[in-house]
Amino acid sequence: MLHIDATFRALTPGGRALLDHIRHSTQNLLLQSMPDTTYERLASHFERIDLPAKHRLEEVHQPIDFVYFIESGLASVVAQTRDGLQIEVGLIGREGFTGASLLYDDDQTPFECYMQVPGEGVRIATPIFAAAVFQSHQLRRSLLRYARSATIQLAYTTLCNGKTHIDQRLARWLLMVHDRMLSSALPLTHEFLSVMLGVRRPSVTDALHVLEKHGLIGTSRSMITIKNREALILFAGSTYGPAEREYLRLTGQTLGQRSW
């Protein structure tokens, strides 16, 4: 059971001015869309933090100490077995937050969540977050609707992994990363791609060559550049788009204002 006895700080005029500055500068779409009073309930307790690559945000079956609202960079949610099998089951960028299991009164997760692309964000201690969610119906509703969109993303990832070729899976995944980044140059290694897609590194190399041959992407050492997004969408087929439309329906936000 989560403890929700946290006390919220009253805002001084200077503190409110600082929060207003953070609010207008944040790149996190959920924070941008929150009503002022809902946002202030969280933001008075935010701690700004750098998020380097491989920084762990959640560990398997360990207490979740902080909730992170990512503003730049990219986090992967990875499922794994005792004998080392692993695959990505979720992406979190500036459209969302970590620690969604807390909304269901569960303070841990069977998945690992770590930064794949370095960035920045803000975090809030779990007891403070739990208290805010308990006390604010509007906040709880907003976060639950995002959590719902994440389960839909997972469902379409499962469909794509089970029914499409690795080339299409890679195309869809690159589009999802592009949606969450502010650049068409994506700092991604073959090692990460093999984990994300659940395939061997040679299969990743072959799939990248296919997309590059069609002029959809460019590749260099530890970097993939999206060259023709519209053609990449066509190549990915119908598995890209449904989850993105559901995110728009549920949150009212468009991922990167991009077409799908």
Side-chain angles (χ1 to χ4, degrees):
M1 178 69 67
L2 298 174
H3 297 290
I4 57 173
D5 57 350
T7 301
F8 291 98
R9 295 193 293 263
L11 290 176
T12 64
R16 184 174 296 279
L18 177 60
L19 287 188
D20 288 343
H21 172 73
I22 296 173
R23 176 67 177 272
H24 290 115
S25 63
T26 184
Q27 296 296 323
N28 186 278
L29 298 181
L30 274 184
L31 295 182
Q32 289 178 1
S33 66
M34 286 181 183
D36 288 344
T37 54
T38 302
Y39 173 79
E40 289 174 3
R41 181 175 290 275
L42 289 177
S44 60
H45 297 270
F46 278 156
E47 174 191 0
R48 185 162 294 282
I49 183 172
D50 289 330
L51 298 170
K54 298 187 178 180
H55 178 78
R56 277 172 168 70
L57 309 177
E58 297 176 5
E59 297 191 51
V60 176
H61 292 312
Q62 295 298 312
I64 298 172
D65 295 323
F66 294 95
V67 171
Y68 295 81
F69 289 84
I70 297 173
E71 296 187 309
S72 63
L74 192 70
S76 290
V77 182
V78 178
Q80 53 192 333
T81 63
R82 291 181 180 177
D83 55 357
L85 296 177
Q86 53 184 337
I87 191 171
E88 183 183 76
V89 295
L91 276 177
I92 306 173
R94 62 194 188 92
E95 87 291 354
F97 71 102
T98 68
S101 60
L102 297 170
L103 299 175
Y104 307 99
D105 200 26
D106 185 1
D107 65 353
Q108 58 180 266
T109 172
F111 307 126
E112 185 174 41
C113 180
Y114 57 87
M115 294 300 294
Q116 179 183 152
V117 177
E120 297 179 336
V122 294
R123 70 181 186 180
I124 182 172
T126 292
I128 304 294
F129 175 83
V133 170
F134 178 79
Q135 295 176 16
S136 172
H137 169 76
Q138 180 62 42
L139 176 61
R140 186 165 60 252
R141 180 178 184 274
S142 174
L143 298 179
L144 279 171
R145 290 176 76 83
Y146 164 75
R148 169 63 175 158
S149 76
T151 65
I152 294 172
Q153 178 199 121
L154 171 58
Y156 278 97
T157 295
T158 302
L159 172 63
C160 188
N161 288 348
K163 294 295 185 179
T164 65
H165 191 270
I166 178 61
D167 302 347
Q168 281 187 300
R169 289 167 58 189
L170 176 59
R172 173 182 180 263
W173 190 81
L174 290 175
L175 287 164
M176 292 171 64
V177 173
H178 194 210
D179 287 339
R180 290 160 176 79
M181 303 288 287
L182 297 176
S183 170
S184 292
L186 312 176
L188 303 169
T189 66
H190 288 208
E191 177 186 2
F192 264 127
L193 289 169
S194 67
V195 172
M196 299 309 103
L197 299 173
V199 298
R200 296 180 303 113
R201 288 182 64 176
S203 298
V204 170
T205 300
D206 291 343
L208 287 170
H209 286 163
V210 170
L211 299 186
E212 191 168 26
K213 179 180 177 181
H214 284 81
L216 309 180
I217 65 171
T219 61
S220 60
R221 184 175 178 82
S222 301
M223 189 70 68
I224 299 173
T225 302
I226 306 297
K227 297 178 68 175
N228 189 335
R229 180 179 170 86
E230 298 302 322
L232 193 62
I233 291 174
L234 291 176
F235 191 95
S238 60
T239 54
Y240 176 75
E244 288 68 31
R245 286 189 287 272
E246 291 301 297
Y247 177 83
L248 171 61
R249 179 181 70 84
L250 288 163
T251 70
Q253 296 282 349
T254 299
L255 285 173
Q257 307 246 337
R258 308 185 196 277
S259 59
W260 22 256

